[in-house]
Amino acid sequence: MQLRKLTVNGERLKNTIETFADFGRTDNNGVTRLSLSEEDIRVRSYFRSCCEELGMSVKVDDMGTMYATLAGVQEKPPIVIGSHMDTVKKGGRFDGVLGVIAGLEIVRTLVDHGVKPEIPITVMNFTNEEGARFEPSMMASGVLSGKFDKAVMLGKKDPEGTTFQQALEASGYAGDSANRIQEATAYLELHIEQGPVLERENLTIGLVDCVVGMVCYEIEVTGESDHAGTTPMEMRKDALFAANDLITELRSKLGELDSELVYTMGRMNVLPNIHTVIPNQVIFTVEARHKDMDVVHEVEAIIQGLPSLQGECEVTATKLWGRDTVWFDPDICNRVEQAALSLGYSHKKMASGAGHDAQFVASFLPSAMVFVPSVNGKSHCEEELTSYEDCEKGVNVLLETVLSLLSSY
């Protein structure tokens, strides 16, 4: 079936973004909408009403993930467009929710033009992607893909002691496991980049071919505490000085591996943390991310090769966790690239350094992601901003990809 080129309604898209942001909008024009909070429940209800007005059926699975489906001519696996609507505290108006709104706007556009799709189109809202209220992040997609144990996730508690199961049941969005998606023609996720690359290179579209692999280690340095004023320097076993030397060594060696490698020493605990006492213990983390797992393995070799003694202090390295690079479906990625080309939008292939629901979904559904620029690379803050024009272009790329997939039938 040949479908004529369509484009979305930019003004309507802008208004929809702002309307969704009203559910939890902060004084500084950000959004706080924690998973299964009152604000989240209200935006879910609004999303459901928008979908039902379009003639879509709405189902909910046992983790609260929502599936709004526009019926197709043929009962075949749907084209799925999705992301999440929950935010971090004092987050932005675009992170996550743009991917859900994109699906809604695409269906609205098809309905506007009287297009009855050959196969169903489903718009998904994943529960608790951020993990800002209940850890870990990407909880529902993790359970859906078999990466997380459901019983364990249901028992997770927020800072007030409420379990995820209690919050889910109280929300009215505890559905049936029979509603879980099991197959799809494609899964598409539009997201803001959350980084500065597209804006810096003056590009409109990021063609995401993978979510990078990563590894995280904890380094423990153990020395001896003594009086800061009476112990000669040559007699000290200062854990902080030793840790500083190790960090310098790590920065030097990791910096030589690959220009695309990113690494962070993001957490450090110094004990006893008293200005008159020589530190006897320092614990810090080293996290590294790269799409080439061979580079990640080189990182691990460097960390595991740290000396067991540094400045007469004992050194141990413990691996906390890691993940392999997740590559998206080549055919779907190619269709996304062709969509960007046909629309004349500047673009580049890129990897995602942050985690997204799509990385779990990709383990059982053919998936792809699209990025649009983040102003100043800001995200997870109230200053988060993507221009409405770039949002519109991103949704148009998804729409063109959907039309390409529909034309195959």
Side-chain angles (χ1 to χ4, degrees):
M1 178 179 71
Q2 291 296 318
L3 293 169
R4 63 188 184 281
K5 189 179 293 293
L6 304 175
T7 55
V8 301
N9 184 323
E11 186 65 22
R12 179 173 60 194
L13 178 65
K14 172 185 174 181
N15 292 336
T16 304
I17 291 170
E18 290 303 320
T19 299
F20 273 69
D22 286 336
F23 297 94
R25 191 187 295 269
T26 64
D27 292 339
N28 293 318
N29 206 27
V31 177
T32 296
R33 193 165 56 228
L34 302 183
S35 182
L36 302 178
S37 64
E38 178 184 348
E39 294 81 10
D40 187 36
I41 294 167
R42 289 194 293 114
V43 79
R44 284 167 171 263
S45 297
Y46 178 69
F47 171 62
R48 178 194 287 270
S49 68
C50 290
C51 294
E52 290 177 343
E53 287 176 6
L54 294 166
M56 305 174 78
S57 62
V58 181
K59 295 180 179 180
V60 183
D61 72 16
D62 52 324
M63 290 295 289
T65 294
M66 301 175 68
Y67 307 80
T69 301
L70 181 68
V73 175
Q74 304 181 52
E75 286 293 328
K76 292 195 173 184
I79 299 170
V80 181
I81 306 161
S83 195
H84 62 97
M85 297 195 295
D86 65 311
T87 73
V88 299
K89 290 183 179 179
K90 294 186 177 181
R93 293 170 289 157
F94 303 88
D95 177 10
V97 71
L98 178 61
V100 179
I101 292 172
L104 178 61
E105 177 58 30
I106 286 170
V107 172
R108 283 173 167 170
T109 301
L110 295 178
V111 172
D112 284 349
H113 292 85
V115 176
K116 174 77 170 179
E118 278 296 310
I119 61 174
I121 296 176
T122 296
V123 183
M124 287 183 66
N125 167 43
F126 285 99
T127 304
N128 194 39
E129 192 273 352
E130 293 291 2
R133 181 182 179 190
F134 301 98
E135 295 183 354
S137 59
M138 301 180 292
M139 182 184 283
S141 57
V143 171
L144 183 63
S145 60
K147 307 297 184 183
F148 297 153
D149 180 85
K150 177 184 172 182
V152 174
M153 295 301 107
L154 291 177
K156 295 292 184 177
K157 294 182 179 180
D158 69 8
E160 282 69 49
T162 301
T163 66
F164 179 83
Q165 183 173 10
Q166 290 169 334
L168 181 60
E169 291 174 350
S171 73
Y173 281 90
D176 195 315
S177 60
N179 292 331
R180 292 186 185 185
I181 192 165
Q182 297 181 351
E183 56 181 348
T185 295
Y187 172 82
L188 302 169
E189 183 168 343
L190 174 67
H191 209 281
I192 60 172
E193 182 193 349
Q194 299 182 282
V197 175
L198 290 174
E199 182 185 53
R200 182 184 63 195
E201 298 184 13
N202 196 29
L203 299 172
T204 299
I205 299 294
L207 308 170
V208 186
D209 57 8
C210 69
V211 177
V212 300
M214 59 187 298
V215 68
C216 184
Y217 275 76
E218 185 175 79
I219 312 299
E220 182 175 345
V221 185
T222 304
E224 291 183 4
S225 283
D226 284 300
H227 195 289
T230 61
T231 309
M233 296 303 293
E234 71 272 11
M235 296 180 65
R236 298 185 179 204
K237 296 183 179 180
D238 189 318
L240 183 54
F241 282 178
N244 181 65
D245 291 341
L246 290 170
I247 290 172
T248 300
E249 179 180 348
L250 285 168
R251 287 193 65 189
S252 175
K253 290 182 176 179
L254 296 179
E256 294 174 354
L257 287 183
D258 189 279
S259 61
E260 293 187 358
L261 176 70
V262 293
Y263 51 92
T264 306
M265 289 74 168
R267 185 183 75 223
M268 176 176 283
N269 296 322
V270 180
L271 299 173
N273 203 26
I274 301 171
H275 75 90
T276 57
V277 181
I278 297 167
N280 71 340
Q281 186 182 52
V282 174
I283 301 173
F284 66 94
T285 55
V286 183
E287 181 201 89
R289 309 186 187 207
H290 197 280
K291 64 182 178 182
D292 186 341
M293 291 305 298
D294 287 341
V295 175
V296 176
H297 295 152
E298 289 185 66
V299 170
E300 293 199 74
I302 289 171
I303 294 173
Q304 293 166 359
L306 290 173
S308 59
L309 283 176
Q310 179 74 36
E312 297 192 58
C313 297
E314 295 182 1
V315 180
T316 59
T318 303
K319 185 174 181 177
L320 298 183
W321 54 275
R323 74 173 187 224
D324 289 345
T325 297
V326 175
W327 293 93
F328 292 130
D329 184 86
D331 176 63
I332 307 301
C333 288
N334 181 63
R335 289 178 184 269
V336 173
E337 182 175 11
Q338 292 305 310
L341 283 168
S342 71
L343 292 165
Y345 298 157
S346 58
H347 58 274
K348 69 174 293 183
K349 292 183 179 179
M350 60 192 308
S352 173
H356 300 283
D357 289 313
Q359 78 188 58
F360 284 157
V361 175
S363 67
F364 69 104
L365 299 178
S367 304
M369 288 192 72
V370 174
F371 280 168
V372 285
S374 295
V375 175
N376 295 322
K378 294 286 188 178
S379 182
H380 280 192
C381 60
E382 294 170 309
E383 295 79 20
E384 176 183 282
L385 181 64
T386 295
S387 74
Y388 298 116
E389 180 182 3
D390 283 339
C391 289
E392 180 181 352
K393 289 179 178 179
V395 181
N396 275 331
V397 169
L398 251 62
L399 173 59
E400 187 66 19
T401 304
V402 168
L403 296 177
S404 168
L405 289 162
L406 291 175
S407 295
S408 301
Y409 290 87

